[in-house]
Structures are given as C-alpha cells and as structure tokens.
Amino acid sequence: ALQQLAAPCAAVAFDADGARLAAVAARAPRLYLFDAATLDQTADATYGKGSAATTTSAAAAADGGTCVRFSPNGRLLAVGSLSGALHLFDASSCSPLASLVPAGAGAPPPIAAVDWALDSAGVRTASAEGFVRCWDGPSRREVAPSAARDVPYASFSAFNAWGAAGLAATPCTAFAASAPAAAASAVSSAFSSLDRSPEGDVLLAGDTSGAL
C-alpha cells in the first residue's frame, strides 16, 4: 500500500504500539498522522514559529521537518525542523502544543535527531553541528544537559549522529502493481527515512517523492 504526501517526506515514525505512524514533509511545515493498519490519514497539521506559516512561503520551507518521534506514552509528538525549532503536538489530533526555540543570539542550527525520555517528561535534540539540547516537557523550558544526564531515554542508538537511509536505485517492483496512478513516479524514488514497527514485522519508508 502507498500513501502520497503533498511534499517530499523527511521522516517517518511508528508509535510504541505500532498502531499509528507519523510523517513530516521536508520542504514544508506539515505533519501527517496515519492509521498504521490501513494507512488512512487521521489528522494533519501545519506548524511554524509564526501564526502565518504556510506551505508555500520561503519561511515555511525553511521550517520544514527533519525528524519526528512519538513519546513513549503515545500522547505527544515531537518534530525537529530546519529552523532549529522543536515543535510539540498532541499525538491524537495533531493539535500544536508548543514551539521550542533555544534562547540566544543568532539562528539555531537545524535539528538532526530527537529523542524522548522514557517517562515522556523530557525530550532532547541534536544538530548536525554537534549541539545537544535538553528540554523539560511540562515547563517547556530548556535545561542543562547535566540535569538530564541520568535520565533514561527511549533511543538505544547513537543519538548525536547522522541518521541512516536506504536508497532505491531501481524501480521498486513490489509496489508497482498496487501503486496509485498519481504515485507512479514514487516507485523509483530514493528513500529518505526508515522506521521499524515495534513488532519488527513492518518496515516503513518515506521517499523523496512524498510516498510512504
């Protein structure tokens, strides 16, 4: 089965139960929520640091998504962006809850990875430049990394590192027969994000054409 987004896909993620999946667009501030069993879209949101953010403006493109993660309790979604802002959403409705921007002069670097504390009360981000930032969820305030040093996090991979992506150099014939006509070009696009279901029986891939 395929689902076609309106823009290239930047990142995908399953929730802890494997019942829902989220995707963010790479060139627009768009978040999508799907039923994992049917791939039916259940919610979506347009986000940004300003209330006038759109999917067509240059400012909106600069706030395109880079990564997305469900909180372990399944109630929240965290989206990292090219603008360096961390956006938090209600995981059921995609309603925006907060946009967290580091204090200080100058624009923060793009967020490369995001991870939740196991108790879903904290979240941390990393940038390609090597900056790691820790946030307290309830207060929506940045905290010193030393304050979160002993907090167990959900990720067991190298956090402050480049993500891994697979490439489909030739048409993916497994999808070709069932692909909608509108997604005909998607079967030969490059994968931009991968995530495995909690049960390990499904591998979700988003690609540069916006197909899931």
Side-chain angles (χ1 to χ4, degrees):
L2 283 178
Q3 181 62 253
Q4 188 69 33
L5 307 184
C9 181
V12 292
F14 279 98
D15 69 359
D17 296 328
R20 295 172 296 173
L21 59 91
V24 290
R27 300 175 185 172
R30 293 284 292 178
L31 169 67
Y32 303 87
L33 194 63
F34 300 93
D35 180 282
T38 64
L39 276 186
D40 290 335
Q41 183 175 324
T42 58
D44 67 271
T46 299
Y47 60 87
K49 292 185 292 183
S51 59
T54 70
T55 58
T56 57
S57 68
D63 205 29
T66 57
C67 48
V68 59
R69 279 290 177 266
F70 284 91
S71 61
N73 64 14
R75 298 175 183 173
L76 301 171
L77 273 165
V79 174
S81 68
L82 291 171
S83 71
L86 176 67
H87 304 284
L88 301 181
F89 297 85
D90 180 282
S92 297
S93 63
C94 278
S95 299
L97 300 177
S99 291
L100 309 180
V101 182
I111 293 174
V114 62
D115 194 18
W116 286 94
L118 284 177
D119 62 2
S120 301
V123 62
R124 60 182 177 173
T125 64
S127 69
E129 285 79 0
F131 292 99
V132 175
R133 300 185 183 276
C134 299
W135 301 85
D136 176 68
S139 68
R140 308 287 198 259
R141 292 183 178 179
E142 186 175 0
V143 298
S146 59
R149 180 178 56 191
D150 298 323
V151 175
Y153 278 81
S155 174
F156 295 96
S157 61
F159 174 67
N160 190 17
W162 291 102
L167 297 178
T170 57
C172 185
T173 55
F175 287 138
S178 60
S185 63
V187 296
S188 59
S189 298
F191 291 163
S192 55
S193 183
L194 300 169
D195 196 30
R196 187 179 64 177
S197 67
E199 298 81 4
D201 59 344
V202 176
L203 183 65
L204 173 66
D207 73 16
T208 52
S209 75
L212 303 182

